[in-house]
Amino acid sequence: MADTLLDDVGDLLLEAADQVVLPLFRKLDDADVSEKAPGEVVTVADRRAEELISAGLRRLRPGSLVVGEEGVADDPTLLTHLRDGGDVWLVDPVDGTANFAAGRRPFALMVALLTDERPTAGWILDPLAGTLAAGRAGEGALLNGQPVGTADVVASLGDIRGVAMTRFLPPPARDRVRAGGRRLGELLPGQHCAGREYLDILTGEQQFALFWRTLPWDHAPGALLVRAAGGVARRFDGVDYHPADEGAGLLVAANEQIWAEVHEALLGT
């Protein structure tokens, strides 16, 4: 029997977008938005989408565990399951919630699967753009059902463009990144939606993305997809990213050559 997991989870995200997320876009009232942490909002769409997606994932893999962003907000101990054996799902029901709550784009729905602690599959859906990425570790990535690769992307330092999320960087690192950005073709300010940044690496809109905060639901799906397409996702110190590892700083790039050049330009001493 053919393994239909990539399609099944993709269909689940499309269902959540169509039934929960998009009907509420630009239709939220004050009661539908709350602050779960200083400067961090959550909407009724986040909670309802996480419930729908989580239930669907458990049906696809009976006995699996779900670690969702909103679930962790209520019970932080759920994060310990990322080191469990078996199947563990990471879910970001609405990535870019601040955009969504303000009636802006982009926002995305994201899922990653860890099996015996190892990231094995990932999905990102930008429902307004109609873009769905899916892939398995070591088996390649698909963009709207078509294979996508970044390993062969060639760009000179002066042509490389990408995003550097500098808001949370320590001041010395922020200054270094901003100064180093002048060596690149373009240093973008970011779209406040990690899922869209990863999709833009896959589509070739940009060649890298630099982050300081690395919450697992924000980065596990995209890091897996970029790697599956031939790219690189490593901490600033060069250690491969794993969603269960604590740490700050993540540089994701289309391939090894671009990662090394951007790392030297933005983070080199």
Side-chain angles (χ1 to χ4, degrees), residues 3-233:
D3 185 345
T4 61
L5 186 68
L6 289 187
D7 289 338
D8 292 342
V9 176
D11 288 344
L12 181 60
L13 293 183
L14 289 166
E15 178 186 355
D18 290 343
Q19 293 190 9
V20 176
V21 178
L22 293 180
L24 288 168
F25 183 50
R26 294 176 178 164
K27 294 181 173 62
L28 298 170
D29 57 35
D30 290 344
D32 294 328
V33 183
S34 59
E35 190 175 63
K36 63 181 179 181
E40 190 172 354
V41 298
V42 62
T43 74
V44 65
D46 295 80
R47 299 191 186 282
R48 291 177 183 172
E50 184 162 307
E51 291 173 1
L52 188 157
I53 294 167
S54 298
L57 295 174
R58 293 188 185 102
R59 286 194 299 271
L60 290 174
R61 289 284 176 95
S64 62
L65 295 171
V66 177
V67 178
E69 178 178 5
E70 307 316 325
V72 170
D74 295 333
D75 180 8
T77 64
L78 289 174
L79 283 172
T80 62
H81 292 306
L82 298 183
R83 287 298 188 186
D84 285 356
D87 292 326
V88 178
W89 303 96
L90 267 166
V91 177
D92 191 340
V94 181
D95 178 54
T97 297
N99 289 345
F100 180 82
R104 299 189 303 263
R105 58 194 305 171
F107 53 88
L109 291 73
M110 306 199 293
V111 169
L113 173 63
L114 281 66
T115 302
D116 296 331
E117 301 185 37
R118 185 172 61 89
T120 54
W123 296 259
I124 300 176
L125 170 67
D126 179 339
L128 292 180
T131 305
L132 173 63
R136 293 181 182 272
E139 297 183 17
L142 303 172
L143 200 59
N144 290 339
Q146 299 301 311
V148 60
T150 62
D152 296 331
V153 173
V154 177
S156 63
L157 190 63
D159 293 327
I160 293 174
R161 70 194 305 264
V163 61
M165 302 297 293
T166 60
R167 177 184 173 190
F168 296 104
L169 280 170
R174 185 187 309 137
D175 294 343
R176 179 71 183 88
V177 167
R178 288 173 175 170
R182 292 193 287 270
R183 300 172 58 191
L184 305 177
E186 189 173 8
L187 192 63
L188 304 169
Q191 303 172 78
H192 306 288
C193 175
R196 188 64 244 181
E197 305 296 358
Y198 283 104
L199 288 176
D200 283 355
I201 294 175
L202 294 175
T203 64
E205 289 294 316
Q206 60 191 25
Q207 289 79 49
F208 74 91
L210 181 148
F211 306 93
W212 179 249
R213 298 177 68 190
T214 56
L215 296 168
W217 43 81
D218 285 338
H219 298 285
L224 185 143
L225 288 166
V226 169
R227 284 171 171 161
V232 178

